Amino acid sequence: EDLYLCSNGHGFADWINHSCDPNLGLRGQIVLVARRPIAVGEELCLDYAMTDGSPYDEFDCRCGTTLCRGRITGDDWQRPELSEVEWSTMYDNLAAVDTICRERGLVQAFHPHVDSVVETADEIRRIIEHTEVGFVLETGHMLIGGLDPLWFAAEHADRVALVHLKDVTVDLIEPLNRDELTLMEAVQAGIFPSLGDGGSPIAQVIATLESNGYGGRYVIEQDAALTDGLPADGEGPIRDVARSVAYLQSIATALDADTDTHNKGEIPV
């Protein structure tokens, strides 16, 4: 702690070898941090694609890790765009996983997510149209990707296998989508507040699902990043989760106590 590797004019990548599965990452633009515990004597390494977004220094990689990409380019940091062949492969693989799950009495729940290959509204609609897979209705990541989670609840309630409840500070969506913020930086800035404190239509989503007979689980997802050390007792994430639980309890109280799905308006979380 408070020890730094400083360059004498060259970039730090000149002194640290590349790896596609590095033990170092970046905090901000110049601070290197450990991504995992580093053993004594272990070589420090960095993924060069974390530091360079230009194509002039492309090279073949022989790092030997299971995650080796074979060739390092200035575009590696970007979210890949799937070809039609790759989309078709995904559809087939999701169907195969569905079969495996059914044979074992399990249910597959596909989770669209920021910075994954299925993030945007168009990408989510592809999965809806070309597969029969069940979804995680994610009230945060779907909204960030441009798809209204209330629309999904109303139009595709039969495809909902699980619900992740996450609120969103809508003013941070565009900076995140324009790559002005990384996902971690957005979390640190408060993009995922307590339920009820953001702009995601959580109460309407729950009411719509309940009216359509949804009988599955609701999971509170309270992403947090501690930026100022450990919070005091009762503060920080535990306070935020308590606010979220209280918000859900208020929604449950407003639900019809006589629904067949849940008893006395209780939401299973």
Side-chain angles (χ1 to χ4, degrees):
E1 190 168 325
D2 296 328
L3 296 176
Y4 298 87
L5 292 172
C6 296
S7 169
N8 63 353
H10 299 280
F12 48 68
D14 292 332
W15 308 103
I16 299 175
N17 280 329
H18 165 85
S19 172
C20 294
D21 186 18
N23 50 24
L24 296 180
L26 282 171
R27 177 180 295 155
Q29 294 182 322
I30 62 173
V31 179
L32 292 169
V33 295
R35 299 177 65 240
R36 54 176 172 79
I38 300 174
V40 174
E42 180 181 351
E43 180 183 4
L44 300 178
C45 49
L46 178 74
D47 189 333
Y48 284 2
M50 294 180 180
T51 68
D52 197 345
S54 57
Y56 69 87
D57 197 23
E58 295 185 6
F59 61 92
D60 293 330
C61 180
R62 299 179 181 86
C63 68
T65 68
T66 58
L67 299 179
C68 183
R69 301 192 294 277
R71 185 162 182 79
I72 309 306
T73 78
D75 295 328
D76 287 356
W77 62 274
Q78 296 184 3
R79 194 174 68 94
E81 295 291 337
L82 299 186
S83 67
E84 290 302 321
V85 171
E86 290 169 328
W87 276 112
S88 181
T89 299
M90 178 181 288
Y91 306 149
D92 292 343
N93 287 341
L94 288 174
V97 173
D98 255 350
T99 299
I100 293 170
C101 288
R102 282 194 299 270
E103 290 172 349
R104 290 159 176 78
L106 303 174
V107 176
Q108 180 181 190
F110 183 82
H111 189 333
H113 200 285
V114 171
D115 288 342
S116 76
V117 293
V118 181
E119 171 188 14
T120 68
D122 287 343
E123 291 159 351
I124 295 170
R125 289 191 181 96
R126 274 181 172 264
I127 302 299
I128 294 171
E129 294 169 4
H130 294 280
T131 77
E132 297 179 357
V133 67
F135 276 80
V136 177
L137 197 171
E138 225 288 1
T139 60
H141 288 273
M142 282 184 170
L143 187 63
I144 292 171
L147 188 134
D148 184 353
L150 182 56
W151 171 86
F152 193 99
E155 298 296 326
H156 299 287
D158 60 321
R159 301 286 293 272
V160 178
L162 181 67
V163 180
H164 280 186
L165 298 174
K166 180 179 288 180
D167 218 335
V168 180
T169 301
V170 294
D171 288 347
L172 292 174
I173 291 177
E174 282 305 310
L176 174 61
N177 286 338
R178 291 195 300 263
D179 293 323
E180 296 171 8
L181 295 173
T182 65
L183 181 57
M184 176 56 72
E185 289 169 340
V187 172
Q188 292 171 335
I191 194 170
F192 299 126
S194 300
L195 302 185
D197 290 342
S200 189
I202 292 171
Q204 298 96 313
V205 166
I206 293 173
T208 300
L209 290 175
E210 293 293 300
S211 67
N212 280 287
Y214 174 69
R217 293 282 177 175
Y218 296 87
V219 178
I220 298 174
E221 279 213 311
Q222 188 67 62
D223 291 10
L226 301 179
T227 56
D228 297 313
L230 293 177
D233 290 345
E235 297 297 321
I238 193 169
R239 175 201 58 206
D240 297 337
V241 170
R243 285 178 59 84
S244 294
V245 170
Y247 177 70
L248 291 181
Q249 288 172 335
S250 71
I251 295 172
T253 300
L255 292 175
D256 184 1
D258 296 325
T259 57
D260 293 334
T261 306
H262 303 303
N263 297 322
K264 299 186 183 303
E266 294 177 354
I267 299 175
V269 295

